Amino acid sequence: MPTRSFRRSFLGIAQACVVATLAAACGEADDVAAGAHHDGGVVAEGGASDGSTADGEPAETGAPEAGETDSGVADSGEEPYDAGEFQIGIYWPPPAEHTTDQQYDYLQESSVNYVINVDSTNIDSHDQNLAILEKCAPRGIRFVVCDSSYAPVSSLTDGQIDAYVDAYAGHPALGGFYVKDEPQPSEFAVFAAKYNRFSVRAPGSKNYLNLVGSTDIPGFINAFVDTVGAQSLQYLTHDYYPWQVQTGIVGNFFDVLSAYRRASLQRNVKMANFLQSVSWGGSSRRPGEHELRYDAFANLAYGAKALYWFTWWQPTGQPETFTPAIMNADGTQTDLYPTVRAVNRQIKTLGPTLMRLTSQVVYHSGVLASGCDPVPAGFFWQPVDASQNAIVSFFADAGGRFYVMVVNRTLTDTSTLGFAIHPKPAAVAEVSKDTGLEVAASYTEGTGVVSAQYAPGEGRLFALPLDYAGGFARYEAHVQDFGWTSPVYNGGTAGTVGLAKSLEAVRISLVHAPGGAHARYRAYVSTAGWQEWVTDGATAGTTGQALPIERVEISLEGAPSGMHVRYRVHVRDTGWMSWVEDGATAGVQSSPLPIEALEVMTYLD
């Protein structure tokens, strides 16, 4: 992302572009001009049911066995991770000559709470870092220090890292220390050790160690997490930019985003991503209002818990030529500033809710890009018009309340998107992007349809009643070497993919099941065969015996007519198998191959 490692990132992206398909998937016409930005700032498009304009400005249960550890997978019944504050950050802050009150007022007004210093600017001295800390402190901004007197970080001893930390310790604005941007696999061990030393010496710091987006799914990501240690890594951070092409979106953007989402959930580490606000090198395009919004809400829909703009300031004096970003090199605001300020305010407002939600599944409607799964038949939240481009993201909180984020996945069209919810809830709320409070959504109970108008790239977060009688499956897995995972719901992945870890036991139940329905299931265990049927949260399989499950069967008891259970398994050396339902066998019957992950979904005809 910074210029020293930019070419690696860009070349990998360029090789992966599937521009024509993605232009359609974004809803972008072939003749849209490169950049597609709107000079003059934000244009409000579409009404907002929460009282804000489209740009976001206000309008006038089971526990692990005793002695088990999770090794990076959250114990069941616990919060998936410490919620904390949603980080809204920037990379490439104002240079030394513009380290002024006015510039840091702009940051504060834009809801920025996290500023990352870089090793390619003129603000890397001790005095300059202290000057920035002094600007950040009264504005509630945390600052990541990058001090060239302690460089290169790769060569620092533990004692030198301790001295580095001590030079800034105790400052109220200290957010952490810059360790490395885009380390290569050969560098993982070195920088993991430095990262962990900073974390030990400065407890609570959020130190910067960022990966380049990789299509080596999931080996590259998991190797990094294993080297740092899942329990030590504060954020799984990566950069992979969507507007590296002149039209549409980079071809495998959602493949990469999906890979980091999956790794984040499997390893219980918050996901942090970069957003593109600049172009460089001639092949990418400078995003405009719609692209900025699309990028932000797509990342939120995939469960990001921190977002950083690359870049805030227009870089100068670098090997590549950068366009103006959110700020010009002379310190004036560009046309992107109003949109970024508005989007940041929306993220800040939604942040307290988003931080306590865990992503379950992400589906797409309309033209599908690489890495996107269609909304399956039977899913409780169905598009009224399946041809419209949208992201449908299902979330749950620790108390079992359910949320759905919908994103208008187009760069050109203000769209009215409608969704039929089945079974029909008594009411649907929207979390207001203006206040953060729940307000009544435009929902008709008689039809079960919720609808709203969306500006291009805009997202909305809906909340279902706590007692929603959806009868969703709630299930958790006991994973080899990890123990019990956190429970997931109705389509979420229990277990792991790409880690070669067998699923050894499962627990399945139903949430607010209609008509007294119950989950009934059994497991085929390696060397032991089929076990007896169990129900409603009892353990099928074994723990502590290192015996993988090779097949499962799941059915419903006492369910009303038309209620079904659908499920599929991820099998080692085979991948995801086809969905089966209502008691059929999932797994490979001809070979003793272990199951590694399970997805379960109940639905009504």
Side-chain angles (χ1 to χ4, degrees), residues 62 88 90 99 183 227 234-235 258 274 278 353-354 370 390 421 456 473 481 483 502 510 520 536 547 566 586:
I88 304 170
I90 62 125
T99 301
T227 306
Q234 294 118 340
Y235 288 87
S258 295
F274 276 87
V278 71
T353 300
L354 293 172
S370 177
I421 308 172
D481 298 330
S502 301
L510 304 180
R520 181 174 181 265
D536 290 346
L547 296 175
R566 176 183 295 152

Side-chain angles (χ1 to χ4, degrees), residues 29-178:
D30 291 338
D31 60 354
V32 172
H37 64 276
H38 300 269
D39 293 333
V42 176
V43 179
E45 297 190 53
S49 64
D50 62 8
S52 63
T53 59
D55 63 12
E57 299 285 5
E60 303 278 29
T61 301
E65 302 295 332
E68 290 184 346
T69 59
D70 63 13
S71 300
V73 175
D75 292 340
S76 52
E78 295 183 357
E79 287 280 1
Y81 26 59
D82 175 33
E85 183 180 30
F86 197 107
Q87 286 187 359
I88 304 170
I90 62 125
Y91 195 96
W92 217 285
E97 61 274 20
H98 290 285
T99 301
T100 64
D101 287 337
Q102 182 184 55
Q103 292 300 331
Y104 279 81
D105 285 343
Y106 290 155
L107 289 165
Q108 183 182 25
E109 291 165 4
S110 299
S111 302
V112 170
N113 58 21
Y114 192 74
V115 171
I116 305 168
N117 202 353
V118 301
D119 59 357
S120 303
T121 67
N122 66 352
I123 50 174
D124 58 352
S125 70
H126 180 72
D127 288 345
Q128 285 295 333
N129 278 279
L130 285 178
I132 295 173
L133 286 166
E134 290 300 309
K135 299 299 181 188
C136 289
R139 295 169 174 84
I141 299 172
R142 298 286 182 172
F143 178 63
V144 174
V145 168
C146 183
D147 188 336
S148 61
S149 57
Y150 296 94
V153 171
S154 59
S155 299
L156 296 181
T157 65
D158 286 353
Q160 290 170 324
I161 290 175
D162 293 349
Y164 190 175
V165 172
D166 292 348
Y168 295 94
H171 198 288
L174 179 62
F177 295 86
Y178 180 101

Side-chain angles (χ1 to χ4, degrees), residues 17 50 55 82 103 121 128 136 146 166 213 240 244 246 265-266 333 339 353 370 392 418 424 439 454 462 503:
C17 292
D50 62 8
D55 63 12
D82 175 33
Q103 292 300 331
T121 67
Q128 285 295 333
C136 289
C146 183
D166 292 348
Y240 200 73
Q244 300 273 8
Q246 292 303 316
L265 294 171
Q266 290 184 169
Q333 299 171 3
T339 299
T353 300
S370 177
V392 176
K424 302 169 187 175
V439 297
Y454 297 73
F462 298 95
L503 192 150

Side-chain angles (χ1 to χ4, degrees), residues 216-451:
D216 177 14
I217 301 172
F220 177 83
I221 306 168
N222 286 317
F224 173 77
V225 176
D226 286 338
T227 306
V228 178
Q231 295 181 344
S232 300
L233 193 60
Q234 294 118 340
Y235 288 87
L236 177 57
T237 307
H238 84 281
D239 60 81
Y240 200 73
Y241 300 112
W243 320 124
Q244 300 273 8
V245 288
Q246 292 303 316
T247 59
I249 185 172
V250 70
N252 60 347
F253 176 74
F254 288 108
D255 284 301
V256 175
L257 193 53
S258 295
Y260 278 89
R261 172 187 169 273
R262 181 170 62 243
S264 167
L265 294 171
Q266 290 184 169
R267 310 310 295 275
N268 190 29
V269 183
K270 288 179 284 193
M271 181 173 70
N273 301 340
F274 276 87
L275 306 175
Q276 182 183 345
S277 56
V278 71
S279 110
W280 60 94
S283 297
S284 61
R285 77 177 186 268
R286 184 174 184 263
E289 171 196 350
H290 299 168
E291 286 96 339
L292 297 173
R293 190 188 300 120
Y294 181 116
D295 198 0
F297 278 100
N299 275 277
L300 293 179
Y302 275 72
K305 304 301 184 188
L307 293 173
Y308 315 127
W309 293 99
F310 178 75
T311 62
W312 175 260
W313 202 265
Q314 179 185 5
T316 58
Q318 304 300 319
E320 300 84 24
T321 299
F322 285 79
T323 64
I326 302 164
M327 301 295 296
N328 286 304
D330 64 3
T332 57
Q333 299 171 3
T334 72
D335 57 304
L336 303 187
Y337 179 87
T339 299
V340 169
R341 182 181 63 186
V343 169
N344 283 358
R345 287 179 179 176
Q346 293 179 341
I347 297 170
K348 179 180 179 180
T349 303
L350 295 176
T353 300
L354 293 172
M355 290 301 289
R356 58 184 178 81
L357 302 185
T358 301
S359 176
Q360 303 297 311
V361 292
V362 181
Y363 297 125
H364 291 242
S365 65
V367 179
L368 297 182
S370 177
C372 300
D373 293 323
V375 179
F379 188 64
F380 77 100
W381 191 283
Q382 287 286 327
V384 172
D385 181 352
S387 69
Q388 290 182 297
N389 292 329
I391 302 173
V392 176
S393 185
F394 176 39
F395 292 88
D397 69 14
R401 190 178 183 192
F402 304 118
Y403 297 75
V404 174
M405 177 171 279
V406 174
V407 179
N408 182 15
R409 188 170 50 83
T410 136
L411 295 174
T412 57
D413 300 328
T414 294
S415 305
T416 297
L417 302 178
F419 296 88
I421 308 172
H422 193 49
K424 302 169 187 175
V428 178
E430 180 178 352
V431 182
S432 168
K433 297 194 292 290
D434 183 21
T435 66
L437 303 176
E438 292 185 11
V439 297
S442 178
Y443 170 70
T444 304
E445 185 178 1
T447 61
V449 172
V450 61
S451 62

Side-chain angles (χ1 to χ4, degrees), residues 488-508:
V488 296
Y489 298 89
N490 237 47
T493 302
T496 63
V497 174
L499 298 180
K501 301 293 183 184
S502 301
L503 192 150
E504 298 175 342
V506 296
R507 296 168 175 158
I508 307 171

Side-chain angles (χ1 to χ4, degrees), residues 158 161-163 165-166 169 176-177 179 192-207 228 231-234:
D158 286 353
I161 290 175
D162 293 349
V165 172
D166 292 348
F177 295 86
V179 179
K194 309 308 176 186
Y195 177 91
N196 286 327
R197 185 64 186 185
F198 277 110
S199 298
V200 168
R201 188 66 175 182
S205 61
K206 303 297 188 291
N207 301 306
V228 178
Q231 295 181 344
S232 300
L233 193 60
Q234 294 118 340

